[in-house]
Amino acid sequence: MIRTFLKRFSKPALDPQTAEEILKEVFQLCGKEPNPTPTEILLSYRNYRQERYALQRHVLDIVLVLFFLLPLLFVLPAFSLAPDSDSEPGRPVYNIKVHTFLPITRVTAAVDGYNVSVYETDHHTYSLEPTRNGNLTVTVTLANNQYVTREILVDDVDREAPRLASSRQAQGHLFLYFTDNASGIYYDGIYALDADGQRTEPLSFDPKTGCVEFLCPKSTVSIYIPDLSGNQLQLVVSVT
């Protein structure tokens, strides 16, 4: 049944010689002069017209595709920039989540002009860890060359070790005064090592004044003072 249907609507093909004879008979019946143009030329011209029409149709298809894609050239990226709640004190990590259906070309970041490394942690998700305080600028660029820049103030980076403010000796005891204006001193982590590697803990410490008390060492010792961000001051002490 299907074959019968296809045959019914299929176009019969005539060879050029038969087509030319039929055309002559038609002209004779109509009382017209015979066609002077050979059938082969007419067929070749018909094929030329079909190829030209196909080319025009393809060009029109390309134009239509470009027309529909034109709005994509002006799509801007949208992204969120927020600190990670699991960041260590003094070492903040910022997460970048990009919301777009277009491919992302690049994500860059800088603090006051100094570049910051950006790492891709998931699909359209990035993270960065600034190493200094200042204005953090993040730029996201899409494949259509459109970009958006956001800026946020970073003021909780601590990369400096504690500092020695002053020292004094009294009755065989050594009093050291330290300051740390960022994350704060980690007093439970303070210790001293002598040349033999023997470890000595401080006798006492006062976070209010920053004072740490040791027995006066009999030889040169190294005192280590860490802060809450992991920075550490190594102080070489020799009492004479």
Side-chain angles (χ1 to χ4, degrees):
M1 181 177 180
I2 298 178
R3 292 181 179 178
T4 304
F5 178 80
L6 293 177
K7 290 181 179 179
R8 185 188 307 172
F9 290 93
S10 62
K11 296 181 180 180
L14 293 177
D15 58 274
Q17 184 176 359
T18 305
E20 186 173 359
E21 292 177 356
I22 294 175
L23 186 60
K24 288 181 180 180
E25 293 179 359
V26 171
F27 277 109
Q28 290 177 359
L29 292 175
C30 294
K32 301 293 184 180
E33 295 183 0
N35 179 33
T37 305
T39 306
E40 290 81 0
I41 297 179
L42 294 177
L43 292 175
S44 62
Y45 179 73
R46 175 178 174 273
N47 295 334
Y48 165 75
R49 291 294 301 272
Q50 288 180 343
E51 293 176 358
R52 184 177 179 183
Y53 171 75
L55 177 61
Q56 292 175 347
R57 186 178 61 183
H58 291 324
V59 172
L60 181 59
D61 292 340
I62 295 174
V63 172
L64 289 176
V65 170
L66 293 178
F67 177 78
F68 286 115
L69 292 179
L70 186 62
L72 298 180
L73 300 178
F74 303 98
V75 173
L76 294 175
F79 68 94
S80 59
L81 174 63
D84 192 336
S85 58
D86 297 330
S87 300
E88 298 179 2
R91 299 177 181 270
V93 176
Y94 288 82
N95 294 325
I96 305 170
K97 181 65 177 179
V98 184
H99 309 281
T100 181
F101 59 90
L102 293 178
I104 300 173
T105 302
R106 60 184 177 274
V107 178
T108 59
V111 175
D112 292 339
Y114 293 91
N115 293 331
V116 179
S117 298
V118 180
Y119 304 94
E120 185 174 6
T121 58
D122 203 349
H123 179 67
H124 287 186
T125 303
Y126 304 82
S127 68
L128 59 92
E129 183 177 351
T131 57
R132 64 179 67 209
N133 292 317
N135 291 320
L136 172 63
T137 304
V138 176
T139 302
V140 177
T141 305
L142 299 182
N144 60 357
N145 209 32
Q146 299 296 315
Y147 65 90
V148 169
T149 299
R150 290 190 58 186
E151 190 173 280
I152 189 173
L153 178 63
V154 177
D155 57 2
D156 53 352
V157 175
D158 180 16
R159 298 286 180 171
E160 296 183 1
R163 291 179 295 176
L164 177 65
S166 61
S167 63
R168 63 182 179 88
Q169 300 180 48
Q171 300 178 351
H173 289 193
L174 175 64
F175 299 89
L176 303 173
Y177 295 84
F178 299 97
T179 61
D180 189 287
N181 297 326
S183 61
I185 297 174
Y186 179 46
Y187 289 95
D188 291 332
I190 298 176
Y191 64 95
L193 287 179
D194 61 14
D196 296 329
Q198 184 175 358
R199 179 176 175 133
T200 303
E201 306 293 337
L203 297 176
S204 65
F205 53 80
D206 185 1
K208 294 183 179 180
T209 61
C211 178
V212 180
E213 178 185 1
F214 282 95
L215 285 175
C216 285
K218 297 179 181 180
S219 60
T220 301
V221 296
S222 296
I223 300 178
Y224 297 90
I225 303 92
D227 65 9
L228 296 175
S229 297
N231 305 304
Q232 182 171 260
L233 171 66
Q234 180 180 355
L235 187 64
V236 178
V237 178
S238 180
V239 179
T240 58

